[in-house]
Amino acid sequence: MTAHDAPIARGAEDPSLGYLRIATEEAFCPPELARMWRELIAAGGDLDPGFESLVGFYLRSTAERPRYVAERLGDLGALRLADMDATGIDRQVISLTSPGTQIFSDAATAAAVATLANDQLAEACRAHPDRYSGLAAIAPQDPGGAAEEIRRAREELGLCGVILNSHTNGEYFSDEKFWPILEAAEALDMPIYLHPNTPPRAMIGPLLEAGLDGAIYGFGVETGMHLLRIITSGAFDRFERLKLVVGHLGEALPYWLYRLDYMHRATVRAGRYACMKPLERQVSDYLKENVWYTTSGMAWEPVIQFCRQVLGADRVLYAMDYPYECVPAEVRAQDAMALGPAELKAFFQTNAEEVFGLERD
Ligand code: 1DF
Ligand code: MN
C-alpha cells in the first residue's frame, strides 16, 4: 500500500455503502511457529523443497514485500486493524498461514502448533468480536486428534471453520485415512477452507526450476488437483453435506467444468483406472453444490463474473489474502463491478456470513 492511497470507508462507518466487507482468506502466524520454522530451516537436512523455497524466502529475504508480510503475519492487534481500516475491511476471517502445522513429520508437534494457533486466534476474536472471525488449524498427521480439535474449535473456541493448507507431507484428503476429519467437519457444520501449499517433492521439480512453485502458479496447480482428488475419491458421496471453500476463484477448476465432466465420464466408462470409480453426481455438480469460491488474489472482474455465472452468485465471495496482498485498488475494483446492490452485498457480506455461519453464535 502506498502513502497516497486515501483510506476506504468500511461498511460499518458508511451505511450508504450498503454492505460490510468481509475478507475470508486472511493469514496469521504465531511468533512461536515462525521460530519453529526458522529452526527447521537452520537445521537443514532433507527439507521439503517447497517449504524451503517459500518459508525460507519470507524468513530470510530483506526485500520490501517479504518484510512487510512477515511483520504483519505475527500481528493480531493494532497493525492489522489499521490496515483493515485503511482498506475498508469490516471483518477478517483469519487462518493459520501455509503450510501451518503441515510441514511437521511428528504428529504431536503438529497438534501442539494447532492448539497454540487456535488458542491465540480465539483470544483475538474474543478481543475484537466485531472485526475478527477465525478458522481452526488442525494436524492432519493425527486424523482422530484433528477431528477432536475441530469439535473443540467449534464448541469451546467459537471458531467458524477449518483451514487445510493442502497436502500434508505429500498426502491428500482423497485418502480415506483422513476422512474422520471430513466426518467431523460435516457433523459440526464447519466448512473446510482448502488453501494452497507449495507442491510436494514428487511434483515440484519443473515448477521450482522455473521459479513457478509459489503463488504465481504452483499453488494453484497443487491445490486445484487436491480439490479434484477429493471429488473423484467419492468423499462427497460419503459426506454429502460437507462444505469446502477454495480461494483464487477455484484454482482454475471452474474453467475446466465441461472437460472434467466429459473426461471423467469417459474414463469411468472405459474402466481405465481402478482408482477412478463412478460417482453419484457429475464432477461439476460437486463443484456447484459442495464448494464455495473466494476471490483472494484474483481481483479481476471478467473471471469473477464467469465464476458467478457458472457456479452461482451465492457461491462466490470476497477475500483479500492479507497480508500477502493488501491493495486498496483491488477493493475498489471489486466495489465497482457491474453488480446491483443486493448482488454486491451477497458477494462482500452475506455469502460469507452464510457459509461460515457468522451469525449463529
Ligand atoms: C503467498 C500467497 C503466500 C498466498 C501465502 O501463504 C499465501 C505468496 C504462505 O505470495 O507467497 O496464502 N496466497 O494465498 O496467494
Ligand atoms: Mn492465501
Side-chain angles (χ1 to χ4, degrees), residues 314-331:
D314 53 346
R315 295 207 165 250
V316 179
L317 47 137
Y318 173 69
M320 176 180 273
D321 205 17
Y322 181 86
Y324 297 98
E325 211 148 321
C326 186
V327 181
E330 294 183 350
V331 179

Side-chain angles (χ1 to χ4, degrees), residues 6-301:
I8 302 174
R10 293 187 278 119
E13 295 167 322
D14 175 13
S16 76
L17 183 64
Y19 47 84
L20 302 177
R21 293 193 199 83
I22 303 178
T24 54
E25 186 191 309
E26 317 308 313
F28 90 113
C29 182
E32 295 88 341
L33 176 57
R35 206 171 305 127
M36 291 166 81
W37 281 351
R38 196 179 287 284
E39 285 165 10
L40 257 186
I41 287 175
D46 196 24
L47 273 181
D48 176 78
F51 174 75
E52 188 158 31
S53 170
L54 178 73
V55 176
F57 169 67
Y58 283 105
L59 289 179
R60 281 195 290 239
S61 173
T62 56
E64 187 181 342
R65 178 172 178 264
R67 300 287 29 97
Y68 175 97
V69 166
E71 183 185 2
R72 283 161 176 77
L73 277 175
D75 180 278
L76 287 172
L79 184 54
R80 182 173 298 254
L81 290 164
D83 288 338
M84 290 167 66
D85 289 345
T87 52
I89 303 303
D90 289 283
R91 176 179 298 279
Q92 283 192 347
V93 179
I94 302 173
S95 52
L96 181 62
T97 202
S98 190
T101 65
Q102 292 170 241
I103 189 60
F104 299 107
S105 46
D106 177 57
T109 304
V113 170
T115 305
L116 170 98
N118 293 339
D119 290 344
Q120 283 188 10
L121 185 52
E123 188 184 330
C125 293
R126 281 192 299 273
H128 305 283
D130 55 332
R131 306 302 301 277
Y132 297 161
S133 299
L135 304 183
I138 54 171
Q141 295 91 332
D142 170 13
E148 168 54 23
E149 184 63 3
I150 294 173
R151 188 206 58 75
R152 186 181 80 99
R154 170 80 183 86
E155 293 175 357
E156 296 173 32
L157 301 180
L159 299 177
C160 63
V162 177
I163 183 76
L164 177 64
N165 285 306
S166 201
H167 74 88
T168 306
N169 297 312
E171 296 187 313
Y172 292 89
F173 271 36
S174 44
D175 187 329
E176 292 195 21
K177 78 177 186 188
F178 295 115
W179 288 14
I181 297 169
L182 302 183
E183 185 177 12
E186 183 192 48
L188 293 157
D189 195 20
M190 292 278 267
I192 298 179
Y193 200 118
L194 178 61
H195 181 277
N197 190 351
T198 46
R201 188 185 295 277
M203 183 179 184
I204 200 171
L207 289 158
L208 184 57
E209 182 181 278
L212 296 174
D213 51 302
I216 187 171
Y217 191 66
F219 274 12
V221 176
E222 200 276 337
T223 311
M225 181 187 71
H226 194 164
L227 175 54
L228 199 49
R229 285 184 64 134
I230 291 172
I231 292 170
T232 59
S233 74
F236 288 115
D237 290 340
R238 178 87 66 90
F239 308 108
E240 288 180 2
R241 289 174 297 105
L242 177 65
K243 297 174 181 170
L244 293 194
V245 183
V246 62
H248 315 98
L249 287 174
E251 314 293 2
L253 292 190
Y255 204 78
W256 284 72
L257 290 185
Y258 174 83
R259 188 167 176 77
L260 290 170
D261 284 344
Y262 183 95
M263 286 299 172
H264 185 264
R265 203 181 306 119
T267 307
V268 167
R269 195 172 292 153
R272 178 168 173 180
Y273 301 101
C275 65
M276 191 168 277
K277 298 175 279 287
L279 296 172
E280 286 172 18
R281 292 176 264 160
Q282 297 199 95
V283 173
S284 63
D285 293 332
Y286 302 98
L287 289 165
K288 290 172 188 170
E289 292 163 12
N290 292 91
V291 185
W292 280 254
Y293 301 83
T294 82
T295 62
S296 52
M298 300 286 274
W300 191 34
E301 184 171 6

